[in-house]
Amino acid sequence: MKCIAAKRRDNRLLSTPCQLLHYSDPDRLGLRVRHTVAARAAAQNWVRRHAAVGVSNPIAAAEIANRASLIAWELMDNAHQHSYSGAPDQTLTLMLERSRYLLSITVTDAGPTPGCKKLSFPEQKSHGGGLGWVASLSFYWDWDGCAGLPVTVKARIELP
């Protein structure tokens, strides 16, 4: 499944699962992902294809691609469950950013659901799951955001 969106005149996504985002920095890649399992699966496959670009050791490349795709799935799933990105026709932004020794997987959600009175920020629960998986698969993870605004969660993987 390709991650390129057909658009209407008002630039809203149609039935395609995700839309490629373009950045001037060649080490930064991004997608806008709709709230569907098919969209998350397409985005996860996209991460698997792009995460280990430039890693010459095939075993290390496979490990990085696998870990990055699992992290991306968990971060997208959390955003779809706990933010307005989970509403019909809403999206989140998934980004891969490569530096010399790190790969960052970043997901930015659409903020809290309208009328939400509970302030919810990403936290790793003691029983694991979600961000527990992210913590075990990544070198480091953190988040950035303010009450009532979109939240960005970033996980980093070390590169060889």
Side-chain angles (χ1 to χ4, degrees), residues 59-125:
I59 295 171
E63 175 67 19
I64 289 165
N66 188 45
R67 289 171 65 197
S69 68
L70 291 171
I71 289 168
W73 179 271
E74 289 298 333
L75 294 181
M76 289 185 294
D77 191 51
N78 276 354
H80 282 142
Q81 285 182 37
H82 303 294
S83 77
Y84 191 51
S85 291
D89 291 330
Q90 292 302 310
T91 62
L92 56 80
T93 302
L94 169 66
M95 186 172 59
L96 295 177
E97 191 168 16
R98 189 177 339 277
S99 65
R100 173 69 178 106
Y101 297 107
L102 293 174
L103 173 69
S104 296
I105 303 106
T106 305
V107 169
T108 302
D109 65 33
T113 56
C116 178
K117 297 191 183 343
K118 178 184 171 207
L119 298 179
S120 173
F121 293 112
E123 68 176 296
Q124 183 180 334
K125 303 279 188 326

Side-chain angles (χ1 to χ4, degrees), residues 122-134:
E123 68 176 296
Q124 183 180 334
K125 303 279 188 326
S126 59
H127 60 71
L131 293 173
W133 278 106
V134 171

Side-chain angles (χ1 to χ4, degrees), residues 9-160:
R9 284 183 211 159
D10 61 1
N11 285 334
R12 290 185 59 201
L13 294 173
L14 293 176
S15 61
T16 54
C18 41
Q19 172 188 21
L20 231 39
L21 300 174
H22 301 282
Y23 300 100
S24 59
D25 182 351
D27 290 326
R28 182 181 290 176
L29 305 168
L31 289 179
R32 184 160 291 120
V33 183
R34 292 178 54 108
H35 170 58
T36 64
V37 173
R40 282 197 305 262
Q44 184 182 34
N45 288 334
W46 177 85
V47 168
R48 190 180 312 276
R49 284 191 312 273
H50 291 90
V53 170
V55 177
S56 57
N57 179 327
I59 295 171
E63 175 67 19
I64 289 165
N66 188 45
R67 289 171 65 197
S69 68
L70 291 171
I71 289 168
W73 179 271
E74 289 298 333
L75 294 181
M76 289 185 294
D77 191 51
N78 276 354
H80 282 142
Q81 285 182 37
H82 303 294
S83 77
Y84 191 51
S85 291
D89 291 330
Q90 292 302 310
T91 62
L92 56 80
T93 302
L94 169 66
M95 186 172 59
L96 295 177
E97 191 168 16
R98 189 177 339 277
S99 65
R100 173 69 178 106
Y101 297 107
L102 293 174
L103 173 69
S104 296
I105 303 106
T106 305
V107 169
T108 302
D109 65 33
T113 56
C116 178
K117 297 191 183 343
K118 178 184 171 207
L119 298 179
S120 173
F121 293 112
E123 68 176 296
Q124 183 180 334
K125 303 279 188 326
S126 59
H127 60 71
L131 293 173
W133 278 106
V134 171
S136 69
L137 292 167
S138 64
F139 166 67
Y140 173 79
W141 77 272
D142 63 4
W143 63 272
D144 185 35
C146 296
L149 297 174
V151 172
T152 298
V153 181
K154 182 183 288 189
R156 293 174 179 91
I157 297 174
E158 289 181 292
L159 295 174

